[in-house]
Amino acid sequence: MTTTPPADPRIEAVAARLKEAAQERAETLGPPPVWKRPRKPKSIKEKGRS
């Protein structure tokens, strides 16, 4: 049986600040440019056509 340690309010506060800062950076920068977005893999049919 695994036990989880009690939540440390200091760690929770730091995690909340990090999430908030990351959200602010994402809003400031906007969406990533097209060339930096992850690629969508081609399906088998699309691979056969090219």
Side-chain angles (χ1 to χ4, degrees):
M1 180 163 92
T2 60
T3 59
T4 56
D8 186 354
R10 293 174 297 177
I11 294 174
E12 298 296 324
V14 169
R17 282 196 309 251
L18 288 174
K19 285 182 184 178
E20 185 178 316
Q23 183 66 29
E24 287 178 13
R25 280 193 304 274
E27 290 172 359
T28 303
L29 297 174
V34 174
W35 61 88
K36 291 196 176 189
R37 290 184 189 148
R39 289 185 174 183
K40 179 180 173 189
K42 290 185 177 182
S43 69
I44 295 173
K45 288 182 180 179
E46 290 173 342
K47 285 181 184 177
R49 282 189 230 153
S50 48

